[in-house]
Amino acid sequence: MKVTEHLNASKGTLFSFEILPPLKGKGIKTLYDGIDPLMEFKPKFVNVTYHREEFVYKERQNGLLEKIAVRKRPGTVGICAAIMNRYDVDAVPHLICGGFSQEETENALIDLQFLGIDNVLALRGDSIKSEPVFVPEPGGHQHANELIFQIHQMNQGRYLMDDYKTDPTDFCIGAAGYPEKHFEAMNMEDDLYHLKKKVEAGADYIVTQMFFDNKKYFDFVDSCRKAGITVPIIPGLKPLKSLKHITFIPKYFFIDYPVELSRALVKCKTDSDVEKVGIEWCTQQSKELKAAGVPCIHYYTMSNSSSVRAVASEVF
Ligand code: FAD
């Protein structure tokens, strides 16, 4: 079923979460160990993130450098199939522009459709470590709105090479939104302009970047509605878990902690102190969002589901 169908069919706030494919070398049990503890909260869909391969340069005997792709995690398509086979849940693979030509994107979508996967979260992806700015693959997409449009075209039966009549796909397409603005956008108005372009290209709903101040989400939804963006906007939350998160999350995701949260965090001496604060904060955020009638709350597990479980057991 499509994410939007789940949202429409639900009378209350749904619970959903995303998982990272385990690192290469790990077996599928690692994946299930992350999902099993969260299934009692009856998610209707589970997102599977996508991680681009990185490149290293190795010197050959002739002195020339060879560019070698290093893949750190197994592919999303197989993981989604495994999830849908084991659990009564829809899988939402993340598909990114980075590293994909349009042909490779189409091939990935053909595999997903073949497996009965109805949903895709379409993203640009970040630049790889060796590149200061995002560089698309030759023949690939520069921005998520182009990727969304390609999926939308396939939903109309328009494939890249229409050598014979091909059945249309029927993907429900999600897009990313940023309550605190995407770090590259000139300002919020500019970011909302591009977000609207993603919806016009075919996005059916939006999932937000994590935030720790609900007011930012509520203001973002208001601004989207004023800008004419009418699709559902699912808030994304993350319970902080370790001392490392205190600095890593604002730096990596370009988001602020509210003063009250930062005052609690500076008193933390251990990871478990942070985990306690993180669970309490995220629980309060979740309760307020649920009371406000948000369609779904989406949790970022970042390979660790125990804190999300603690929050969900208070809220769902
Ligand atoms: P875009 O929509 O392309 O936006 C990127 C920037 O360009 C923004 O500043 C926007 O304002 C601007 N812009 C957009 N369209 C245009 C245009 N047509 N012309 C000019 N400027 C434009 N990354 C991963 O690698 N894997 C994942 O699995 C993953 N999952 C994510 C899930 C969620 C819910 C979120 C919020 C993010 C996720 N990301 C993931 C991170 C995401 O890839 C990065 O934030 C990336 O930098 C931007 O992706 P986007 O889809 O928002 O890009």
Side-chain angles (χ1 to χ4, degrees):
M1 236 168 108
K2 296 178 175 186
V3 167
T4 45
E5 289 169 342
H6 286 302
L7 299 180
N8 290 337
S10 167
K11 293 199 174 66
T13 301
L14 294 177
F15 164 77
S16 78
F17 62 94
E18 74 174 33
I19 49 123
L20 266 74
L23 288 166
K24 66 183 173 191
K26 304 259 185 233
I28 200 151
K29 185 173 176 304
T30 320
L31 182 81
Y32 296 152
D33 286 347
I35 299 177
D36 285 348
L38 299 176
M39 290 315 288
E40 74 170 269
F41 308 108
K42 302 197 169 21
K44 299 288 182 206
F45 53 93
V46 173
N47 285 48
V48 181
T49 60
Y50 183 86
H51 301 269
R52 242 184 118 166
E53 51 194 19
E54 293 284 338
F55 293 94
V56 290
Y57 288 89
K58 279 203 168 168
E59 194 173 344
R60 289 211 226 129
Q61 275 187 339
N62 60 8
L64 292 176
L65 292 177
E66 186 182 2
K67 192 177 176 189
I68 296 174
V70 181
R71 195 172 154 187
K72 290 191 179 154
R73 297 170 194 272
T76 311
V77 176
I79 291 177
C80 287
I83 290 175
M84 288 180 55
N85 196 32
R86 182 176 162 103
Y87 305 101
D88 179 23
V89 74
D90 279 294
V92 184
H94 292 192
L95 202 61
I96 65 170
C97 304
F100 283 78
S101 66
Q102 289 182 42
E103 286 75 18
E104 286 163 336
T105 296
E106 184 170 290
N107 291 342
L109 289 160
I110 289 169
D111 288 351
L112 293 171
Q113 193 264 346
F114 177 76
L115 289 166
I117 292 167
D118 299 325
N119 299 285
V120 178
L121 186 67
L123 305 142
R124 186 195 68 183
D126 285 317
S127 57
I128 52 173
K129 283 191 197 114
S130 53
E131 290 169 348
V133 292
F134 177 80
V135 179
E137 201 66 7
H141 298 301
Q142 174 77 48
H143 281 291
N145 67 304
E146 297 164 14
L147 170 60
I148 291 167
F149 188 66
Q150 182 179 1
I151 307 168
H152 179 70
Q153 288 287 89
M154 286 177 69
N155 282 350
Q156 313 302 309
R158 294 188 202 109
Y159 290 67
L160 294 174
M161 295 282 285
D162 250 338
D163 40 358
Y164 64 94
K165 176 135 182 50
T166 318
D167 287 348
T169 56
D170 190 18
F171 289 108
C172 174
I173 311 169
Y178 301 83
E180 299 185 47
K181 185 181 91 59
H182 184 265
F183 69 99
E184 291 168 26
M186 292 186 285
N187 51 45
M188 197 50 149
E189 189 181 297
D190 176 58
D191 213 17
L192 286 176
Y193 172 83
H194 293 301
L195 182 57
K196 194 171 177 196
K197 290 274 168 230
K198 294 198 270 194
V199 176
E200 287 166 357
D204 298 297
Y205 69 99
I206 292 163
V207 188
T208 76
Q209 182 56 281
M210 65 181 79
F211 57 88
F212 294 86
D213 180 351
N214 285 353
K215 187 174 180 308
K216 300 225 166 124
Y217 168 80
F218 294 128
D219 289 349
F220 176 69
V221 174
D222 278 352
S223 305
C224 286
R225 301 307 179 222
K226 281 185 192 131
I229 298 168
T230 56
V231 296
I233 303 176
I234 298 175
L237 296 183
K238 159 90 195 134
L240 296 171
K241 179 125 177 96
S242 65
L243 288 166
K244 201 178 118 196
H245 280 163
I246 297 178
T247 48
F248 171 79
I249 287 191
K251 184 178 164 200
Y252 190 80
F253 296 104
F254 300 88
I255 49 182
D256 287 347
Y257 294 140
V259 173
E260 197 188 333
L261 175 59
S262 66
R263 284 188 182 146
L265 290 172
V266 290
K267 290 185 195 143
C268 294
K269 302 266 181 292
T270 63
D271 284 349
S272 71
D273 293 343
V274 177
E275 186 175 4
K276 191 164 170 287
V277 170
I279 290 170
E280 278 170 17
W281 191 268
C282 191
T283 302
Q284 288 316 312
Q285 275 193 280
S286 304
K287 285 182 175 168
E288 190 187 12
L289 290 166
K290 197 173 170 207
V294 299
C296 176
I297 304 177
H298 182 73
Y299 293 91
Y300 293 94
T301 66
M302 285 165 72
S303 296
N304 204 319
S305 41
S306 62
S307 294
V308 173
R309 186 183 155 76
V311 173
S313 58
E314 294 287 324
V315 181
F316 292 94

